[in-house]
Amino acid sequence: MFESHLFLLSPQTASGDVAYSFPEEMKRGSVVGNIAKDIGLDVRKLSARRARIDADGNSKRYCDINLSTGDIIVADRLDREGLCGKKAACVLKQELVLEDPLELHRINIHVEDINDNSPQFKKNTIKFEIRESANKGSRYRLDEAHDADIGQNAIQGYNIEANENFRLNVNAKGAGGKYSELVLEKELDREQQQELTIVLVSTDGGTPQRSGTALIHVTVLDANDNAPVFSQAVYKASLPENSPVDTVVVTVSASDADEGINGDVTYEFDHISDENSVFSLDHTTGVVTVSGSIDYEEVSTYEVQITAKDGLGLVSSCTLIIDVEDTNDNAPQTFIKTLKNPIPEDSPPGTEVGIINVQDRDSEKNGQVRCSIQQNVPFKLVPSIKNYYSVVSTGQLDRELVSDYNITITATDEGSPPLSSSKSLSVADINDNPPVFEEQSYSAYVSENNKAGSSLCSVTARDPDWRQNGTVVYSLLAGEVNGAPVSSYVSVNGDTGVIHAVRSFDYEQLRSFKVQVMARDNGSPPLSSNVTVSVFISDVNDNCPQILYPAPEGNSFMTELVPKAAHGGSLVSKVIAVDADSGQNAWLSYHIVKSTDPGLFTIGVHSGEIRTQRDISESDSMKQNLIVAVKDNGQPSLSATCSMYLLISDNLAEVPELKDMSYDEKNSKLTSYLIIALVCVSTFFLTFIIIILGVRFCRRRKPRLLFDGAVAIPSAYLPPNYADVDGTGTLRSTYNYDAYLTTGSRTSDFKFVTSYNDNTLPADQTLRKSPSDFAEVFGQSEESLEVGASLLLFCFWCASDLWNVVFFPIVISLSLLCCAAGYVKME
């Protein structure tokens, strides 16, 4: 349960004392009480007056205030044993500070003990050596247990387990606390039992109750009937703080009337405590010396329990009280509680600039402090409540004359020798002007394919404030462009405001975007302003025209049919192309760079339409090939070409050849095949000429062969449908040569000479063997030569087709055979 007490002081200072009591180890955030209600203050004024809790001196701040409700809440862990040790009353001093006007309320926090510590023995095993001749009723003092708690939560009693030899007697000490003694109830018999083990339990009075245990180990010996006796029950000593290590504090002494080992006395501290780290005890001489740091501000009094034990286990104790004397070893400290910085230059004289608090951890005169302020500054110190001072202005401030002041405050105590310290305050003009950009918005223009890191534009902002309040820093505000962070596109130099491109831009992907640039000063708090920068990307002629129709050359065959009756200006086809660029870089023009008949077709420069320039005539080639170039209007200009294949025909049945028009690259293969064929034919022809010359030479030397009898000539030796010819030496006009082309194959089929003359000799008839009949079969030699020459010309005409090259050697061989036969006949 919490208790609160309010003691109001004079209305001029509006200060008072408020006291709260609550148990230790409360959770952080726990509500202790309502300070606003207790001191009669409107909760709504707490925030306006900057209410806060300050610790007294350099102590830790354990409480805080909720400005919304006025509740005092626990700010840090409260451990009474760590804060106050064995003191009966544990009081922490805190202060509630209010400003405008300055008001101070002292808060006394009474920390109540809870049972959070168990009793603890110095040793887990207590050893005694008792002679068997010990008298009934002999007492043996046991080690005292230590419990950090106080009052009811401290040690309240001891007890031992039931046994037939000993009972426990609990006694109160003069300085407070209790100790226990073993009382011999039944004489010991070493021959029956040499050792005894008894459990000693120490309990406190808390709820729930805590306890600690130790084992009493008794070794039965011979008699030791005198315990050590100290020369004083209580020893007192004074020790200046900051005493060096090994400084002798006091010497304790105890005597034992026994002799020998029974009279040897050893000394030790009674229980485990923090004093063991500050002081040390010589176990044989009883000299107490300093072993740690002695600080009056931390602990002003030490109370130590010392025990004396003889060689066989009899024990007595005494109390050592050490008072620590204060020395002037702490200089005053100045704390800035409130500082209005910067302050407006139009502030009138008497304006409160800040509040300072001066503290000295020393006591009495060593802790009394005087404060002063340096000269030649328009400020002074006005004493306020307790050790608080207000810093107020004494004149009109002019920023144009002096922009900031360094105020030095000196605090000096009354110690001997006196100690002092200084604190400097810096008061400057207020940061009341945000940066202002020179333009309301900025535009940057950049060509696509720019280099990463190139400069786009520069932004500039001005701040009329002084020094760091007028220093401007530029940065990009977070944003996205096409789903990516804006920082992946541009960056800004924080000092100069120059905006750089982080990447290379592509006009076809991104034409413009906007970024936000922030200009911020270095004031406290900083002020800022934003501006929009629009980045426009201009097009560069980096894309060639793309021809959509006709499709690029490949394995597919694309052609256009032109009617034979087409007149001049007729639309034949159209070239369709696009360009990914824009503006004049995408303006396309069409030109015929090569054609089979340059005067037959024309193309629209801007439309791409292919039209006839004149009427189609019979003399025009059936196969027309146009190479069209498409150019853009960029600088430099980019272009693309395509081939357009045109057939002058009314239907496909009239088309002699379609299969290889789109394969210009096959011309090189055709040339190779023609060369191979001509080499073969030439070799065959030379061989045949040599044979003919040999035959002619032989015939001149031998008589002519006379034919007699009928000889049957197989039909395979005669040309199929062989036709008779007259002696005019030319083929009759009734012979037609028809060629047929199949578009689904890569070969050509020929229909050889057919005659409409009824005089054609059937293939199954036979010739008589007379020379005259034999001559009739072959006809005149001139006609044979004429037929051979005609076949030879026909062969070369057919060789223009790539696939007819296969038949070329056969046809030309037949032609040469006919010519040779005619030549032999002439001979």
Side-chain angles (χ1 to χ4, degrees):
M1 184 174 180
F2 308 129
E3 298 178 1
S4 63
H5 306 280
L6 177 65
F7 303 92
L8 294 179
L9 299 179
S10 62
Q12 289 79 6
T13 60
S15 63
D17 288 348
V18 182
Y20 296 98
S21 298
F22 56 93
E24 64 176 328
E25 303 294 346
M26 287 189 70
K27 294 182 179 179
R28 291 181 176 89
S30 299
V31 177
V32 174
N34 192 294
I35 188 68
K37 180 179 178 181
D38 293 337
I39 66 176
L41 182 65
D42 190 354
V43 175
R44 293 172 295 181
K45 295 182 179 179
L46 294 177
S47 296
R49 298 184 64 182
R50 293 187 291 276
R52 63 182 178 274
I53 300 296
D54 280 345
D56 189 6
N58 287 334
S59 60
K60 197 171 184 180
R61 185 167 59 91
Y62 292 96
C63 292
D64 205 347
I65 183 171
N66 187 329
L67 298 179
S68 300
T69 61
D71 292 332
I72 298 296
I73 59 176
V74 177
D76 202 352
R77 176 176 177 264
L78 288 170
D79 182 14
R80 193 206 64 81
E81 288 75 22
L83 294 173
C84 302
K86 286 290 186 178
K87 293 181 180 179
C90 184
V91 180
L92 301 179
K93 296 181 179 181
Q94 309 278 286
E95 295 176 345
L96 173 63
V97 181
L98 301 172
E99 299 180 10
D100 295 329
L102 179 65
E103 184 175 348
L104 178 68
H105 296 272
R106 288 183 292 273
I107 302 175
N108 295 327
I109 299 175
H110 297 266
V111 183
E112 300 175 351
D113 182 50
I114 62 173
N115 190 27
D116 58 343
N117 293 281
S118 300
Q120 184 180 8
F121 287 92
K122 178 181 177 182
K123 298 180 181 179
N124 294 328
T125 302
I126 304 173
K127 295 182 179 180
F128 289 98
E129 294 179 348
I130 303 176
R131 294 184 179 276
E132 61 180 347
S133 60
N135 296 325
K136 181 179 180 180
S138 298
R139 298 173 180 270
Y140 305 93
R141 181 167 175 169
L142 301 176
D143 291 348
E144 184 180 355
H146 173 69
D147 192 336
D149 297 323
I150 62 172
Q152 187 66 24
N153 296 325
I155 296 174
Q156 299 298 319
Y158 298 87
N159 58 80
I160 60 174
E161 62 182 358
N163 65 92
E164 62 180 3
N165 294 103
F166 296 95
R167 66 177 177 84
L168 189 67
N169 186 29
V170 179
N171 300 315
K173 297 194 305 181
K178 296 181 180 181
Y179 67 93
S180 58
E181 295 176 330
L182 274 180
V183 179
L184 185 62
E185 287 286 297
K186 180 181 178 182
E187 290 83 1
L188 299 175
D189 188 354
R190 185 176 178 275
E191 284 69 27
Q192 292 184 358
Q193 191 174 11
Q194 296 182 359
E195 296 179 349
L196 294 175
T197 301
I198 306 172
V199 177
L200 174 63
V201 179
S202 173
T203 58
D204 60 20
T207 303
Q209 189 180 55
R210 295 176 179 266
S211 63
T213 60
L215 293 179
I216 302 174
H217 186 269
V218 179
T219 302
V220 181
L221 297 176
D222 291 331
N224 179 27
D225 53 355
N226 291 289
V229 177
F230 280 96
S231 59
Q232 297 177 218
V234 177
Y235 291 84
K236 291 185 178 181
S238 297
L239 181 67
E241 67 172 327
N242 302 322
S243 295
V245 176
D246 295 333
T247 299
V248 176
V249 179
V250 70
T251 300
V252 296
S253 176
S255 60
D256 194 313
D258 296 322
E259 295 181 353
I261 192 173
N262 296 329
D264 293 337
V265 179
T266 59
Y267 305 92
E268 60 185 14
F269 290 116
D270 187 31
H271 55 74
I272 301 172
S273 65
D274 295 337
E275 289 81 354
N276 295 40
S277 61
V278 180
F279 302 100
S280 62
L281 174 64
D282 190 298
H283 298 292
T284 58
T285 63
V287 177
V288 178
T289 58
V290 176
S291 61
S293 175
I294 305 297
D295 190 354
Y296 174 85
E297 286 71 36
E298 295 293 336
V299 181
S300 59
T301 301
Y302 292 93
E303 183 175 336
V304 184
Q305 298 293 323
I306 300 177
T307 60
K309 180 186 296 185
D310 62 18
L312 297 180
L314 296 180
V315 178
S316 62
S317 64
C318 71
T319 301
L320 172 61
I321 299 176
I322 303 174
D323 294 324
V324 179
E325 298 176 351
D326 182 41
T327 59
N328 190 26
D329 61 340
N330 293 281
Q333 290 182 307
T334 304
F335 301 94
I336 301 175
K337 298 301 182 179
T338 301
L339 180 61
K340 297 177 181 179
N341 188 18
I343 61 175
E345 64 177 344
D346 57 353
S347 300
T351 300
E352 185 179 74
V353 174
I355 298 174
I356 63 170
N357 176 243
V358 182
Q359 298 179 8
D360 194 315
R361 298 181 61 194
D362 295 323
S363 61
E364 298 180 355
K365 288 187 177 182
N366 295 332
Q368 296 179 4
V369 181
R370 300 188 312 272
C371 289
S372 61
I373 194 170
Q374 69 183 70
Q375 302 297 322
N376 301 324
V377 291
F379 299 96
K380 67 177 180 178
L381 289 178
V382 177
S384 185
I385 304 170
K386 197 180 177 182
N387 50 0
Y388 280 85
Y389 295 84
S390 296
V391 181
V392 298
S393 61
T394 58
Q396 188 70 38
L397 304 179
D398 191 346
R399 175 176 174 270
E400 283 67 27
L401 295 178
V402 181
S403 61
D404 55 6
Y405 295 91
N406 289 322
I407 305 172
T408 302
I409 299 174
T410 303
T412 306
D413 61 23
E414 298 291 337
S416 179
L419 300 178
S420 63
S421 65
S422 299
K423 188 73 173 182
S424 296
L425 308 180
S426 179
V427 181
D429 75 303
I430 189 170
N431 183 30
D432 55 353
N433 293 288
V436 178
F437 284 94
E438 293 182 349
E439 299 180 18
Q440 293 183 352
S441 63
Y442 291 84
S443 298
Y445 299 90
V446 60
S447 299
E448 65 173 330
N449 303 325
N450 60 292
K451 293 183 179 180
S454 59
S455 175
L456 301 182
C457 69
S458 176
V459 297
T460 304
R462 307 293 183 185
D463 193 318
D465 289 324
W466 182 257
R467 293 187 179 179
Q468 66 178 11
N469 293 336
T471 303
V472 179
V473 179
Y474 303 93
S475 62
L476 288 178
L477 293 181
E480 291 187 353
V481 177
N482 285 350
V486 68
S487 58
S488 64
Y489 286 84
V490 296
S491 64
V492 63
N493 188 303
D495 297 327
T496 63
V498 177
I499 299 177
H500 299 273
V502 176
R503 62 168 67 175
S504 178
F505 300 128
D506 187 357
Y507 176 82
E508 286 71 36
Q509 299 294 330
L510 180 65
R511 299 192 176 186
S512 65
F513 61 92
K514 294 182 179 180
V515 298
Q516 293 284 331
V517 179
M518 179 180 70
R520 175 182 55 82
D521 60 27
N522 285 327
S524 178
L527 302 178
S528 63
S529 60
N530 303 333
V531 71
T532 300
V533 179
S534 300
V535 180
F536 299 96
I537 303 169
S538 58
D539 184 41
V540 173
N541 190 29
D542 59 345
N543 292 281
C544 295
Q546 182 180 1
I547 299 175
L548 303 180
Y549 182 86
E553 293 184 354
N555 294 329
S556 61
F557 177 72
M558 300 183 62
T559 186
E560 296 282 356
L561 286 179
V562 180
K564 292 180 178 180
H567 298 289
S570 299
L571 178 63
V572 174
S573 182
K574 184 177 182 179
V575 176
I576 302 175
V578 295
D579 195 311
D581 295 319
S582 65
Q584 67 176 7
N585 295 329
W587 296 351
L588 302 180
S589 60
Y590 303 83
H591 309 276
I592 297 177
V593 297
K594 186 178 180 182
S595 63
T596 304
D597 189 348
L600 183 55
F601 298 100
T602 183
I603 189 170
V605 176
H606 302 295
S607 64
E609 295 179 348
I610 300 175
R611 296 179 181 272
T612 57
Q613 295 191 77
R614 57 177 173 79
D615 296 343
I616 303 297
S617 63
E618 293 295 335
S619 62
D620 292 328
S621 175
M622 182 179 296
K623 297 179 292 182
Q624 296 288 331
N625 184 11
L626 303 181
I627 297 178
V628 179
V630 183
K631 298 182 179 180
D632 58 26
N633 198 36
Q635 293 296 330
S637 177
L638 301 178
S639 63
T641 60
C642 67
S643 295
M644 178 69 72
Y645 302 98
L646 305 176
L647 294 175
I648 302 176
S649 176
D650 292 329
N651 55 70
L652 289 175
E654 299 176 357
V655 180
E657 298 177 9
L658 288 172
K659 52 185 174 290
D660 291 325
M661 294 181 63
S662 62
Y663 295 92
D664 291 341
E665 69 275 6
K666 302 301 182 180
N667 293 334
S668 60
K669 297 183 179 179
L670 174 62
T671 303
S672 301
Y673 293 152
L674 286 176
I675 293 174
I676 296 172
L678 288 175
V679 171
C680 295
V681 170
S682 300
T683 304
F684 181 77
F685 178 75
L686 293 174
T687 303
F688 205 83
I689 292 299
I690 294 172
I691 294 173
I692 291 175
L693 293 176
V695 171
R696 180 180 179 185
F697 179 76
C698 292
R699 289 181 61 183
R700 288 184 178 182
R701 303 185 60 179
K702 293 182 181 182
R704 287 181 177 274
L705 177 63
L706 299 177
F707 292 91
D708 188 15
V711 180
I713 299 176
S715 60
Y717 284 88
L718 299 176
N721 296 327
Y722 176 75
D724 188 16
V725 295
D726 55 14
T728 63
T730 60
L731 294 176
R732 296 178 182 181
S733 60
T734 57
Y735 290 88
N736 296 327
Y737 300 92
D738 297 332
Y740 295 90
L741 173 65
T742 59
T743 59
S745 66
R746 306 296 289 179
T747 60
S748 299
D749 299 327
F750 294 94
K751 179 179 180 182
F752 289 93
V753 178
T754 60
S755 175
Y756 298 99
N757 196 329
D758 297 333
N759 296 329
T760 303
L761 178 66
D764 56 355
Q765 294 183 3
T766 61
L767 301 176
R768 303 188 68 83
K769 70 175 184 178
S770 63
S772 60
D773 295 338
F774 186 80
E776 291 177 359
V777 176
F778 288 92
Q780 300 295 326
S781 60
E782 291 83 358
E783 293 179 356
S784 297
L785 290 172
E786 183 180 316
V787 172
S790 300
L791 289 175
L792 184 61
L793 291 174
F794 178 72
C795 176
F796 280 106
W797 181 83
C798 293
S800 62
D801 185 76
L802 175 64
W803 299 103
N804 289 334
V805 175
V806 179
F807 301 98
F808 179 77
I810 300 174
V811 177
I812 198 169
S813 299
L814 291 175
S815 303
L816 294 175
L817 180 62
C818 293
C819 294
Y823 177 78
V824 173
K825 182 64 177 177
M826 291 176 63
E827 292 296 327

